[in-house]
Amino acid sequence: MPIDLEALEPAPAGLDACASCAYRVAGTPAVCFACTVAGGAAPDRPACVVCGQVVDDHGSCPNTVCGVDDRYFSRLYTVSDRAEEMWRAVYRFKYGEERDLAEVLGRILVGFLEDNREELAGYDLITTGAIYVGPRAHRLWDYLQVIVEEARRHGPGWPFAPGLIAKSGPTGRFLGISPAERRRIAEGELRSALSVPEPERVVGRRILVFDDVYSEGFSLREMARVLLEAGAAEVAGVVFARRKGG
């Protein structure tokens, strides 16, 4: 990894065409990850040292939390810079409930981890962002855990530990609201709802928190906060894409 996609026969259908791709079922993390990042261009301007997003003319990151002093997480890893294509795949899985995309997304996650093994193997645990699936939930399935279970199947050597962070109830939805509203929900409802049920599992550990999309960083900030308070040594995040308003 990386793999030469042009050498494959048949050729992969492309990220937006996973449903018709010959490798949807028969593929590997190497193939799916390479397809996901193919065509992505490296930024030709200075990038944020926290999340990799291109900074503005004043050197500021458009993602709010990257610039705050009490960020709590050390950095944010992004699987693909093809944000819109990646978001469409996540959206179809998460909201359209195309649940068989879980295998593709799991392979993509493992492919990214393998491609960055030298750096990411230093994390002791890879957990999921907290999702509430109780009787008052917006949706009754933990889509992040489903992806991680597929990732565990394709990458059994990685220290996947879903569910280290618990969420006790529903909170306001972040999709389509302003950064100020996101911050209000995160620092209020979300902060009150998060906990680490088994702190002994995280004490002294370097933890990577997997989520689907990074928009401003408020959710990751709260999850990093609760893990550090439970004794974690470091918290970082990994997402499929950075996308404002996602």
Side-chain angles (χ1 to χ4, degrees), residues 215-227:
S215 181
E216 299 293 339
F218 291 116
S219 292
L220 178 57
R221 178 187 181 217
E222 296 305 322
M223 288 183 278
R225 176 202 293 267
V226 75
L227 285 167

Side-chain angles (χ1 to χ4, degrees), residues 115-184:
D115 198 51
N116 296 275
R117 173 173 284 278
E118 184 174 347
E119 182 172 1
L120 298 181
Y123 289 93
D124 301 300
L125 298 168
I126 304 171
T127 194
T128 46
I131 295 176
Y132 173 69
V133 293
R136 295 174 291 136
H138 300 304
R139 65 179 63 85
L140 297 177
W141 63 301
D142 188 334
Y143 56 91
L144 295 178
Q145 183 160 343
V146 172
I147 294 171
V148 163
E149 290 303 330
E150 288 294 338
R152 197 203 308 260
R153 191 162 66 88
H154 289 280
W158 288 94
F160 292 112
L164 292 180
I165 316 165
K167 187 177 179 185
S168 61
T171 56
R173 299 180 69 174
F174 279 9
L175 187 64
I177 64 174
S178 69
E181 279 296 292
R182 288 170 180 254
R183 183 167 195 164
R184 181 189 63 78

Side-chain angles (χ1 to χ4, degrees), residues 8-189:
L8 295 178
E9 179 61 40
L15 180 59
D16 274 344
C18 294
S20 60
C21 183
Y23 299 95
R24 178 166 183 159
V25 175
T28 67
V31 172
C32 290
F33 172 65
C35 190
T36 300
V37 300
D44 57 1
R45 294 173 53 192
C48 174
V49 297
V50 177
C51 77
Q53 182 74 288
V54 172
V55 298
D56 63 23
D57 293 338
H58 303 289
S60 299
C61 179
N63 297 309
T64 307
V65 174
C66 290
V68 303
D69 293 332
D70 55 348
R71 186 178 65 245
Y72 298 107
F73 59 92
S74 57
R75 66 161 299 172
L76 186 282
Y77 298 94
T78 305
V79 170
S80 176
D81 287 325
R82 295 172 60 191
E84 291 308 312
E85 295 98 323
M86 196 72 252
W87 169 244
R88 283 195 291 271
V90 170
Y91 190 95
R92 293 201 312 271
F93 172 70
K94 181 177 175 180
Y95 296 105
E97 296 198 16
E98 292 185 34
R99 300 198 186 189
D100 53 350
L101 277 173
E103 183 169 10
V104 174
L105 294 172
R107 288 199 300 257
I108 290 170
L109 176 58
V110 171
F112 175 76
L113 296 173
E114 293 289 352
D115 198 51
N116 296 275
R117 173 173 284 278
E118 184 174 347
E119 182 172 1
L120 298 181
Y123 289 93
D124 301 300
L125 298 168
I126 304 171
T127 194
T128 46
I131 295 176
Y132 173 69
V133 293
R136 295 174 291 136
H138 300 304
R139 65 179 63 85
L140 297 177
W141 63 301
D142 188 334
Y143 56 91
L144 295 178
Q145 183 160 343
V146 172
I147 294 171
V148 163
E149 290 303 330
E150 288 294 338
R152 197 203 308 260
R153 191 162 66 88
H154 289 280
W158 288 94
F160 292 112
L164 292 180
I165 316 165
K167 187 177 179 185
S168 61
T171 56
R173 299 180 69 174
F174 279 9
L175 187 64
I177 64 174
S178 69
E181 279 296 292
R182 288 170 180 254
R183 183 167 195 164
R184 181 189 63 78
I185 293 171
E187 294 181 351
E189 300 170 39

